[in-house]
């Protein structure tokens, strides 16, 4: 056919569009924003990577995971342990094995170790986890997150337990964040549009029809699960090297809740994860200021702790009842621009024909 | 490849849905499967395509034979089907829907194969629309497009004209004949519209209460007293 085209260029075009938009935000904030704004921006980019990481699995399989923050923790500790100054480690974790105590690696190799650990753990538990759906998957992944938390809190010889592990070199710059974001964005889009991703998305809608079309649902989920865990670990490593000190509590319910909200509110696509992250970041910042107390006319509140969490919870409830597919649903930015263009040139494309009202007919009648 | 099901029994708890059914379909042959409601037509399709494992019986196609098969393995052997209650993907576009099958069951470029399958079903437009937003008749056609994309040896159509008007049914008949001509596959078609069955089938098999009660050319089966009693006359 004349209009034969490959599937992957669209994934690259879509990634490029998003990259341009995010770069504009980054450039704007870097040039005009205060140092607080730039801190928010860095955390935004790290959360963006975490949300895309989760979306690689959730967006294609339709299965929510509350466990990905556990992979972030593995990435963070993996990278932190191998980069921190040996002198600091000799004081903080004197009983750790030698290969950790003596190691003073650069950022990239250490990050890859963290990512590798997360990927291996994901590969081991994934064989079971990818067979679960719905509430079973939610409970199991939540259990995994809690297990990682518990292990890190008790592995005192390696992690200082529940106490902060500090002295992590501040390697995370805007350049690293943007670089990692760009790479993971492209990987996520290519995975999503690949045969595996397409098949998995079809199985989310109808597993029987997908299998009858040859889709290997379990193995497709497995591929996405491992890739998704690895990308989450990158976010964890960036976080550790940005904050400089980490503790297991940082990778617990609060962060899980935040990332999951971003993905659910945003939608099923990679673009959705980005829209969700942007929205939640702005909202969370606004709310955080209110949490410290505010006054409205004669009404004043000295403190409102937990306001952010409460609003996020309401947002999830609102999304799941009013718009379960999320803000952007299944669409990517490039889909939306193509459809918008097609609508502006009605004669040029079949996609632009006026919406044909579905005929209500009952096959059984 | 010739398809053969031998002595297939399917029991659901106390109910015997198929009671020793055998069915041969030659390469390029179109066989109509008719019978009253509950006679086991869809169950036969379901065990053939791997939705259920039969209680007993065996199947063979070409050199391969099996007693039970998964949906996916059946599809990989080229046994493809549509569904009576349409099963489309509600977040995929028309083109993506067909691409799923051409990606997983085809060789070569998945998009090109999908576009060819859509052309075969006269889907000249609407390719970027969400599959489940299409008009009902087009959804039926899209199911067939998905079923013929990628490897196709044996096609099972479960009531492809249900809910369609006369013109749309005629179009399905033309399409089914064209698929046989181009692909040379065996086709089994279940339909309640006897005009469709009589027009398109080389042979008709009549099921009643899980048993084959008649089999032969359409005109002959139509005159069979047992068939008239069990089905046509009612």
């Amino acid at each position: 056919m004349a209009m034969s085209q490959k599937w992957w260029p669209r994934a690259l075009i879509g990634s490029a569009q998003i990259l341009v938009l995010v770069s504009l935000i980054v450039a704007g904030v870097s040039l005009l924003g205060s140092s607080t704004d730039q801190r928010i921006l860095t955390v935004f980019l790290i959360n963006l990577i975490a949300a895309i990481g989760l979306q690689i699995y959730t967006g294609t399989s339709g299965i929510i995971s509350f466990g990905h923050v556990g992979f972030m923790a593995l990435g963070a500790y993996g990278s932190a342990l191998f980069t921190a100054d040996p002198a600091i480690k000799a004081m903080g974790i004197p009983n750790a094995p030698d290969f950790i105590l003596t190691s003073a690696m650069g950022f990239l190799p250490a990050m890859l170790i963290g990512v590798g650990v997360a990927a291996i753990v994901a590969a081991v538990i994934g064989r079971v986890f990818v067979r679960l759906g719905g509430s079973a998957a939610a409970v199991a992944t939540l259990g995994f997150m809690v297990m990682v938390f518990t292990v890190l809190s008790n592995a005192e010889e390696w992690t200082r337990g529940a106490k902060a592990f500090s002295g992590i070199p501040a390697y995370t710059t805007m350049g690293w964040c943007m670089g990692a974001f760009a790479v993971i964005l492209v990987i996520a889009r290519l995975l999503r549009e690949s045969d595996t991703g397409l098949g998995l998305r079809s199985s989310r809608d109808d597993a029987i029809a997908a299998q009858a079309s040859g889709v290997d649902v379990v193995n497709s989920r497995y591929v996405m699960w491992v890739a998704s865990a690895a990308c989450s670990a990158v976010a964890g490593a960036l976080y550790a090297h940005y904050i400089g000190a980490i503790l297991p509590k940082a990778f617990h319910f609060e962060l899980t809740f935040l990332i999951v909200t971003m993905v659910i509110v945003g939608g099923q696509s990679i673009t959705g994860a980005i829209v969700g992250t942007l929205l939640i970041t702005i909202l969370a910042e606004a709310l955080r200021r209110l949490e410290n107390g505010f006054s409205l006319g004669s009404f004043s509140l000295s403190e409102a702790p937990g306001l952010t969490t409460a609003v996020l919870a309401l947002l999830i409830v609102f999304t799941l009842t009013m718009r379960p597919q999320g803000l952007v649903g299944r669409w990517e930015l490039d889909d939306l621009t193509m459809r918008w263009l097609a609508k502006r040139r009605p004669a040029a494309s079949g996609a632009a024909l006026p919406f044909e009202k579905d005929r209500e007919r009952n096959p059984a009648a | 490849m010739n398809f053969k099901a031998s002595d297939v029994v399917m029991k659901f708890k106390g109910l015997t849905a198929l009671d020793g059914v055998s069915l041969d379909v030659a390469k390029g042959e179109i066989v109509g499967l008719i019978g009253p409601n509950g006679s086991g037509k869809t169950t036969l399709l379901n065990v053939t395509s791997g939705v259920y494992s039969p209680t007993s019986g065996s199947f063979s196609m070409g050199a391969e034979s099996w007693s039970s098969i998964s949906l996916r393995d059946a599809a990989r052997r080229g046994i493809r089907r549509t569904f009576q209650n349409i099963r489309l993907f509600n977040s995929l576009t028309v083109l993506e829907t067909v691409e799923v099958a051409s990606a997983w069951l085809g060789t070569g470029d998945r998009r090109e194969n999908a576009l060819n399958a859509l052309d075969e079903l006269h889907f000249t437009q609407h390719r970027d629309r969400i599959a489940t937003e299409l008009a009902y008749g087009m959804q039926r056609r899209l199911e067939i497009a998905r079923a013929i994309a990628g490897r196709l040896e044996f096609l099972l159509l479960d009531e492809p004209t249900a809910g369609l008007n006369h013109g749309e049914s005629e179009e399905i008949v033309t399409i089914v004949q064209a698929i046989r001509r181009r692909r040379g596959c065996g086709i089994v078609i279940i339909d309640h519209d006897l005009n469709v069955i009589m027009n398109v089938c080389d042979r008709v098999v009549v099921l009643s209460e899980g048993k084959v009660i008649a089999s032969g050319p359409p005109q002959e089966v139509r005159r069979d007293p047992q068939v008239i009693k069990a089905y046509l006359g009612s």
Side-chain angles (χ1 to χ4, degrees):
Chain A
M1 288 294 104
M3 62 183 293
S4 171
Q5 74 235 123
K6 300 279 184 259
W7 58 266
W8 50 266
R10 271 289 283 281
L12 298 182
I13 292 170
S15 304
Q17 287 179 346
I18 286 173
L19 212 52
V20 168
L21 288 181
V22 173
S23 300
L24 286 176
I25 295 175
V26 169
V29 174
S30 299
L31 289 174
L32 305 170
S34 65
S35 62
T36 313
D37 294 337
Q38 293 188 21
R39 258 203 314 277
I40 296 167
L41 179 68
T42 307
V43 174
F44 163 71
L45 286 172
I46 294 171
N47 285 341
L48 200 52
I49 294 170
I52 293 174
L54 174 58
Q55 192 72 301
I56 289 174
Y57 186 65
T58 295
T60 49
S61 68
I63 300 168
I64 192 70
S65 164
F66 293 104
H68 275 59
V69 163
F71 296 123
M72 282 180 78
L74 295 177
Y77 275 91
S79 187
L81 286 173
F82 287 94
T83 48
D85 187 342
I88 295 175
K89 283 187 281 198
M91 287 191 295
I93 46 170
N95 298 321
D98 270 352
F99 68 94
I100 289 179
L101 280 180
T102 54
S103 164
M105 284 184 187
F107 192 19
L108 191 61
M111 183 196 278
L112 292 177
I113 289 178
V115 169
V117 170
I120 290 167
V121 171
V124 172
I125 64 170
R127 275 288 152 210
V128 179
F129 275 52
V130 298
R131 288 170 195 276
L132 307 175
S135 47
V139 171
T141 50
L142 190 67
F144 167 72
M145 185 274 286
V146 172
M147 276 165 64
V148 172
F149 170 77
T150 310
V151 168
L152 291 175
S153 304
N154 289 289
E156 294 193 0
E157 292 190 355
W158 289 49
T159 63
R160 296 195 74 224
K163 292 191 290 267
F165 180 86
S166 53
I168 307 166
Y171 288 141
T172 301
T173 57
M174 194 57 74
W176 273 100
C177 286
M178 281 304 284
F181 168 63
V183 170
I184 285 171
L185 177 66
V186 171
I187 290 174
R189 268 309 294 277
L190 287 175
L191 280 171
R192 184 181 163 81
E193 306 298 331
S194 69
D195 294 359
T196 308
L198 179 66
L200 200 50
R201 283 188 284 144
S202 79
S203 78
R204 176 185 61 198
D205 294 341
D206 191 319
I208 289 187
Q211 286 169 298
S213 304
V215 177
D216 183 344
V217 178
V218 168
N219 281 322
S220 299
R221 278 187 195 166
Y222 188 67
V223 169
M224 294 298 180
W225 170 261
V226 175
S228 153
C231 292
S232 296
V234 172
L238 288 169
Y239 175 82
H241 291 275
Y242 179 65
I243 304 291
I246 51 175
L247 63 175
K249 195 89 186 76
F251 305 98
H252 207 210
F253 285 104
E254 205 176 328
L255 185 60
T256 299
F257 193 46
L258 186 72
I259 305 291
V260 166
T261 310
M262 289 168 172
V263 164
I264 290 180
V265 171
Q268 300 160 352
S269 61
I270 304 302
T271 305
I274 293 166
V275 169
T277 309
L278 196 60
L279 186 77
I280 303 292
T281 303
I282 293 168
L283 196 65
E285 275 314 312
L287 289 168
R288 210 166 46 83
R289 279 161 210 199
L290 292 182
E291 272 186 358
N292 296 333
F294 60 95
S295 61
L296 201 70
S298 61
F299 175 79
S300 76
L301 199 63
S302 56
E303 261 180 63
L307 185 65
T308 311
T309 318
V311 171
L312 292 186
L314 283 175
L315 203 57
I316 287 199
V317 171
F318 186 76
T319 306
L320 290 179
T321 49
M322 304 300 287
R323 200 175 161 81
Q325 74 274 34
L327 281 173
V328 297
R330 60 137 292 171
W331 304 111
E332 297 289 356
L333 184 58
D334 47 302
D335 294 326
L336 295 170
T337 46
M338 294 288 273
R339 294 171 88 78
W340 182 74
L341 286 174
K343 224 172 258 171
R344 285 180 41 121
R345 294 179 282 118
S349 161
L353 286 172
F355 189 82
E356 203 174 323
K357 187 97 184 93
D358 282 0
R359 281 167 286 178
E360 294 290 336
R361 262 189 286 168
N362 183 358
Chain B
M1 281 189 275
N2 298 345
F3 172 85
K4 191 176 168 65
S6 313
D7 217 13
V8 176
V9 176
M10 181 76 215
K11 291 182 177 160
F12 296 103
K13 302 246 169 76
L15 178 84
T16 304
L18 295 175
D19 192 1
V21 173
S22 295
L23 177 71
D24 283 35
V25 183
K27 187 177 187 311
E29 187 183 24
I30 302 182
V31 174
L33 197 55
I34 62 171
N37 285 329
S39 59
K41 304 182 298 290
T42 295
T43 306
L44 183 59
L45 243 63
N46 281 342
V47 294
T48 302
S49 63
V51 177
Y52 307 135
S53 289
T55 313
S56 68
S58 64
F59 304 89
S60 71
M61 197 172 68
E64 290 176 294
S65 63
W66 61 92
S67 58
S68 123
I69 196 168
S70 72
L71 254 175
R72 176 162 181 264
D73 285 338
R76 278 150 58 92
R77 286 182 188 175
I79 300 175
R80 309 291 301 281
R81 67 169 295 174
T82 64
F83 296 89
Q84 186 183 343
N85 47 339
I86 300 174
R87 286 177 171 274
L88 290 172
F89 308 123
N90 57 26
S91 71
L92 299 193
T93 64
V94 168
L95 179 58
E96 284 171 329
T97 298
V98 183
E99 269 189 274
V100 172
S102 63
W104 284 83
L105 298 169
T107 48
D109 187 69
R110 87 178 191 206
R111 182 149 296 175
E112 197 175 314
N113 291 341
L115 289 169
N116 287 339
L118 284 169
D119 283 340
E120 235 171 290
L121 271 292
H122 312 155
F123 250 104
T124 47
Q125 49 194 23
H126 306 305
R127 287 166 174 173
D128 292 323
R129 287 198 27 204
I130 290 290
T132 48
E133 286 173 2
L134 292 173
Y136 185 79
M138 292 174 88
Q139 295 194 18
R140 285 251 173 245
R141 268 197 287 147
L142 180 56
E143 273 231 324
I144 301 177
R146 181 177 63 190
I148 65 166
R151 187 173 180 192
L152 173 65
E153 303 287 349
F154 183 37
L155 181 61
L156 307 163
L157 301 171
D158 197 350
E159 301 203 22
T161 69
L164 302 189
N165 64 33
H166 184 70
E168 289 169 325
S169 295
E170 298 271 283
E171 198 180 3
I172 296 286
V173 168
T174 318
I175 285 166
V176 170
Q177 283 163 338
I179 292 170
R180 184 247 305 264
R181 199 168 57 241
R182 284 190 205 157
R183 309 297 190 95
C185 58
I187 298 175
V188 167
I189 175 166
I190 295 179
D191 215 291
H192 281 297
D193 184 341
L194 285 180
N195 281 325
V196 170
I197 294 288
M198 297 299 161
N199 279 335
V200 78
C201 297
D202 305 313
R203 192 154 59 84
V204 176
V205 171
V206 188
L207 280 180
S208 177
E209 294 175 3
K211 288 192 167 80
V212 175
I213 58 165
S215 169
Q219 295 314 320
E220 222 170 86
V221 166
R222 198 174 213 170
R223 291 192 297 268
D224 189 310
Q226 245 191 310
V227 175
I228 293 169
K229 184 165 165 267
Y231 182 47
L232 299 178
S234 63

